[in-house]
Amino acid sequence: MFLALRNVLRYFPPSHHNILAAEFAQELRQYGHIYMYRFCPLIHMRAYPIDQYPCRTRQAASIMLMIMNNLDHAVAQFPQELVTYGGNGQVFSNWAQFRLVMYYLSEMTEEQTLVMYSGHPAGLFPSLPSSPRAIITNGMVIPNYSSREQYEKMFALGVSMYGQMTAGSYCYIGPQGIVHGTMLTVLNAGRRYLGSDDLRGRVLVTSGLGGMSGAQAKAAVIAGCVGVIAEVDEVPLRKRHEQGWLMEVTSDIEHCIQRIREAKRSKTPLSLGYHGNIVDLWERLLTEYERTGELLVDLGSDQTSLHNPFSGGYYPAQLSLHQANQLMATDPARFKTMVHESLCRQVAAINKLSEAGMFFWDYGNAFLLEAQRAGAEVEKEGGGATEFRYPSYVQHIMGDIFSLGFGPFRWVCTSGDPRDLTLTDDIAATVLEEISANVTERVRQQYNDNIRWIREAGKHSLVVGSQARILYSDQKGRVCIALAINQAIADRRVSAPVVISRDHHDVSGTDSPFRETSNVYDGSAFCADMAVQNFVGDAFRGATWVSLHNGGGVGWGEVMNGGFGLLLDGTEEAAKRASLMLNWDVSNGVARRCWSGNSNAYETIQRTMEEQRQLRVTMPYPVQDEDVLDRALQG
């Protein structure tokens, strides 16, 4: 505690230390971290129109806008603790950092760069107008010390921070991003596992309605299926119901089973929230199958925050929410044991339902990894280090999409005007429709999914916080959309600049052996060159800001991920930056996936090289005769 207090008092003149030290010590004792609540601004935190920020450059104003959107109470999960989503994904570590960052951005010129060390603003440093205006790193820890235990210590000391992905890079746009990604995942799961993208009457069972997981209900209905989502905490469950993303709520498990059967038979899209533990629901579905022979679930997954299993990310079935929270604080060792027991029960039920014909996948939340650590039966006989009894959604569903160059592309209309968003929606859809006429059938299917999404996006009340949109596109589509929007700004059809970005969960941005790169089988799944190269390459190719994080999605020490933001202001310079940076941002990951042996990536990068004469990628020569290897190894 002594060192933690000394660390935070560095932000203040000694004349204030006597008062602040006592106050901060109380926060540390009560919360395990010093948030500096007294410095939380009274201003309504939201994405104000870009012209309202007191800045010397609109690039700095765009960063301020995105920071305040991340902390908007309608967007953030725990805004008072500067947590945007995922239970612990922070924008900053404390409120003094927020205030100092906003001050620096208001003073910044286009010959300065703000340097961010895990939430701490190191300062403004001289740079070039072509340089990024902000360089952000979160959780950069010496590899041998990148453990969960070390994280807890460093976080308490205020010297490192878990930025998740788009929380610590200021690029979160609310649950819309995961709604779209989940919809695509469910559609493609239907194609792969059920042989159809007509999901009427098909039932998806999963869990979690908090931050990122809260999108599952909306996505299921848009995809046309019956989505049943268990949630132990009534607060987020009611929130999703009030916002219209969850159609029905029940705490009666028998009523839940009845509604599943009715919706399945009538083929009526439904999002049903079960207020209870997902383990109880899986076990009840198994009992129903064993009693009647009727398998009520077709697809299954999980979106509890298992990157953070012992601090509120997962609640064991043996305890109520209140009991679990008490035990978490009073006997963490016993709580950990109960989490492991619960995971084993959950997996046991899933295994039996899967044997009966249900298709289950890991949603990249470290579910199978933690279940394995708990001793559950998730091993894959003969599998590699990243393979389990069930595939991750990247291995079986989204990995092929990444290898085609498709991933989450986002933009934010800094005017805050819904009319600008409507116009950019139309621009994006029109661009994709034009491009899709001259692509392969496999690529066209992905374009069509996203054209359908973007044409209907306005109907689904997806905007929370900033006037933002997301779609999945490949390299050509991203560049063409960005250039078309930039031209619309130049022509004043769009009234103010637009920030383009993406989720870090993308083709190039993330090295994560249990998620984004889980379908890389050449032994490099645990290497992080791609994410680091992505971060560096985006920086000198024109990004307005870049970020690199340890942790995100599957947990601290399990992943390295990078992101960017780029301001389109209608200038030729912005167009040049967007074209150069976006081409690299995608090709980097496709090239890496090609070298690992992925055939989709091989074909994609070949086509890209034909279109871009300056691109030269080292292509692999596959071993065509495996006997050559056997003979060589036998001597």
Side-chain angles (χ1 to χ4, degrees), residues 622-634:
V623 174
Q624 296 180 342
D625 182 4
E626 296 288 334
D627 291 338
V628 170
L629 307 180
D630 290 334
R631 290 193 297 270
L633 291 172
Q634 289 169 7

Side-chain angles (χ1 to χ4, degrees), residues 30 253 344:
Q30 189 168 354
I253 201 165
C344 288

